[in-house]
Amino acid sequence: EDGVNFIDSRVKIDLISAEGIKSDAIDSDSSELKINNIFCLNVKNDCLDLSYSDGFIDKLKAINIKDKAVSAGERSNLKVNFLEVKNSEMGLVAKDSSFVDINIYENTLVNLPIVAFIKKRELGSPAIQVKKMNEESIKKSLISSDSNVYISGKLLQGYLDSDNISEMLYGNQYGVKTKR
């Protein structure tokens, strides 16, 4: 169903380009990724979806993503040097004990630039660190009070409960329902 699904893998790739994918473009479960460039265009779900994975991406560009450009969940750790998201539903999403570290994050016409919350109570709070981004887009983000989000070194105070955010996502108010 996904464009590419890495399971229990060690991946080192220069470029992955995904266009017109009807589900997730790149899905990683319990894997280690080192990818220089990811390019996603017209993806019906997520561009990059991580679960129990570790990843390093030098540059990720996502255009017209119907759900999440980057989704890090279930204790994933992700480092991205340059993230660019355009004309998409959600940019960067972290949940369930995941940590995402972004050097530069540019977003244009993204409904929710950042989302951070706990979906699975048995896991803990997510953390996001973005060193440089347009701080005006923070106002459009959904950050739970039990998440740790730092933009330009400043901790953002979440104003919603994780359960409230979860109820808004997955095709209820934002994003799309996964079709299998």
Side-chain angles (χ1 to χ4, degrees):
E1 83 208 41
D2 295 323
V4 177
N5 195 337
F6 300 112
I7 302 171
D8 296 320
S9 301
R10 290 183 127 177
V11 176
K12 187 175 182 181
I13 296 176
D14 184 49
L15 169 67
I16 294 179
S17 182
E19 185 174 341
I21 305 296
K22 294 184 176 157
S23 191
D24 293 341
I26 304 155
D27 192 294
S28 174
D29 300 307
S30 303
S31 295
E32 293 178 23
L33 307 178
K34 185 173 182 184
I35 303 172
N36 285 334
N37 293 284
I38 294 175
F39 177 73
C40 292
L41 177 65
N42 299 325
V43 174
K44 300 272 189 220
N45 272 34
D46 303 339
C47 171
L48 176 64
D49 185 357
L50 303 172
S51 299
Y52 299 104
S53 293
D54 294 317
F56 173 81
I57 313 298
D58 187 46
K59 183 178 180 183
L60 189 152
K61 185 172 185 174
I63 302 170
N64 197 27
I65 309 302
K66 298 297 181 196
D67 206 14
K68 304 169 211 74
V70 174
S71 178
E74 295 88 14
R75 295 189 182 110
S76 291
N77 292 295
L78 177 65
K79 166 86 172 141
V80 180
N81 275 332
F82 182 76
L83 173 62
E84 181 180 6
V85 183
K86 292 182 178 181
N87 194 36
S88 297
E89 184 69 5
M90 289 176 261
L92 171 59
V93 178
K95 57 189 182 288
D96 304 333
S97 297
S98 292
F99 175 69
V100 180
D101 183 9
I102 309 288
N103 277 336
I104 300 169
Y105 176 22
E106 294 181 0
N107 62 82
T108 307
L109 299 173
V110 176
N111 288 332
L112 297 173
I114 293 177
V115 179
F117 69 107
I118 298 172
K119 181 179 178 185
K120 297 178 179 174
R121 286 284 158 201
E122 65 272 18
L123 297 171
S125 298
I128 295 174
Q129 175 177 283
V130 179
K131 292 178 183 75
K132 183 179 176 186
M133 74 177 280
N134 176 354
E135 294 190 27
E136 189 65 29
S137 63
I138 294 168
K139 295 174 186 174
K140 300 188 309 182
S141 297
L142 292 177
I143 300 167
S144 70
S145 56
D146 48 13
S147 296
N148 298 298
V149 177
Y150 292 85
I151 308 296
S152 302
K154 294 181 251 176
L155 176 65
L156 299 183
Q157 294 297 322
Y159 56 92
L160 292 171
D161 182 270
S162 280
D163 291 335
N164 295 121
I165 292 174
S166 189
E167 288 171 12
M168 288 188 246
L169 304 180
Y170 307 104
N172 294 319
Q173 187 174 346
Y174 299 101
V176 295
K177 291 189 186 300
T178 301
K179 296 177 185 174
R180 301 202 187 270

